[in-house]
Each structure stands twice: as C-alpha cells, then as structure tokens.
Amino acid sequence: MKLLTDPPFAALSTEKRLSGLAAAAGGDRYGMVFGQRVTQGGRLEVDVAYDATGNGGGYVAAVVHARLCVRLSGVVGADPQVEIADTPCAASFDRQLNPPDLIVTLED
C-alpha cells in the first residue's frame, strides 16, 4: 500500500496510522474491516473481509456470493513491504442476514 510510504502518514500517531490503514483497506474494494492491531515490532495489521458475487453459465445463471478474509500487514517506511495472508473470518459474520455461499482463500 502506497500509504505506508507517505511522509505525512509516517508523522501520524500509531493509532491514527492504524485507523488510516484500516480505512484504506476497507474502502479499497468495499471490504469490511473486522480487526486491527499494532504488533510489538510496530507492524500494522488489519483484518478485512471482501465479498464478491459471480454468475455461472447455463440456461438459468447461478449467482454465487463468496467471501475472502485476509490480514494485511506492513511497516511504515521508505521501502515498506505489505504482506497478505489468509485469516479466519470474524465470528460475528455468521449472524449476517446475507451470508456468503462459500469462503475462499488466497490459494483458491
């Protein structure tokens, strides 16, 4: 995320950096942020769920609602590296009115 290299972003407090990263990760593709933290090493971590729907072929096209839950993490600096990894979806998502048909991973 380019945000991590922005000098004004680096000047913010740790909490404001975390909030900014969460807003960027959630708003980027209409993600739902369900966790955020700063590790002891100063790494910012944000857990985000991204939902998408797709249509299958055939006479009556099937619609599939899929969800991907990932953890985005990175360190503020001149050459930051953002890592992305699968993470379990939040348990609160199980109570949604429109749950996904399937949960996918980065490997799918």
Side-chain angles (χ1 to χ4, degrees):
M1 300 183 112
K2 187 177 178 181
L3 182 66
L4 296 176
T5 63
D6 188 22
F9 183 76
L12 296 174
S13 69
T14 302
E15 287 305 313
K16 287 189 179 186
R17 286 184 204 165
L18 189 57
S19 294
L21 184 61
D28 184 31
R29 287 185 166 55
Y30 304 105
M32 298 176 287
V33 175
F34 61 91
Q36 55 188 15
R37 72 203 60 76
V38 179
T39 67
Q40 283 186 315
R43 179 172 285 279
L44 304 174
E45 295 183 345
V46 177
D47 298 335
V48 188
Y50 295 103
D51 284 11
T53 56
N55 295 321
Y59 183 70
V60 177
V63 176
V64 176
H65 174 190
R67 176 170 292 149
L68 170 68
C69 293
V70 294
R71 176 167 295 153
L72 302 170
S73 64
V75 178
V76 176
D79 186 25
Q81 295 183 7
V82 176
E83 296 178 8
I84 184 170
D86 290 313
T87 193
C89 294
S92 62
F93 290 155
D94 294 339
R95 297 184 296 275
Q96 287 184 317
L97 295 176
N98 186 22
D101 299 311
L102 66 132
I103 303 293
V104 297
T105 66
L106 294 171
E107 298 295 319
D108 291 337

